[in-house]
Amino acid sequence: MEIEIPIEARDEAAYQKEQKKATYTNIKNYIKERYGVEVHSSYIAQVRRSCGLDMRECYNKSKKEIPIRVSQCPDSKAKYIREALAYFEAIR
């Protein structure tokens, strides 16, 4: 008994465009591969805000009355994040 399963070829252009999006994961991977440095998501969010990029509301925000203290992004990592945002064409 033989079963045929059709497999659609992946559109390479669409795949490349998807890989070029400035997602937090893509930004983290870019910086890790290029500089060997890991950056936290909160650092990326801080740099995005400072660049004036649109931010969505955080879906898992703490409901505590006293907010959790978030450390500031070091200038060295902010430089890497800005470079990654420029690479992914999110900023100029």
Side-chain angles (χ1 to χ4, degrees), residues 8-64:
E8 293 182 32
R10 179 171 46 177
D11 181 15
E12 195 63 32
Y15 178 74
Q16 291 296 329
K17 185 175 181 183
E18 179 181 315
Q19 295 304 310
K20 192 75 169 162
K21 286 184 179 178
T23 64
Y24 283 60
T25 303
N26 287 348
I27 291 169
K28 287 180 178 185
N29 290 339
Y30 175 84
I31 294 170
K32 178 73 174 176
E33 289 173 10
R34 185 141 184 162
Y35 299 105
V37 175
E38 293 197 18
V39 294
H40 195 273
S41 297
S42 66
Y43 292 168
I44 297 171
Q46 289 173 25
V47 173
R48 286 177 57 98
R49 272 190 213 96
S50 72
C51 292
L53 296 174
D54 290 337
M55 301 290 293
R56 289 186 274 173
E57 186 67 27
C58 181
Y59 68 91
N60 61 351
K61 189 188 308 186
S62 174
K63 294 179 179 37
K64 295 180 182 178

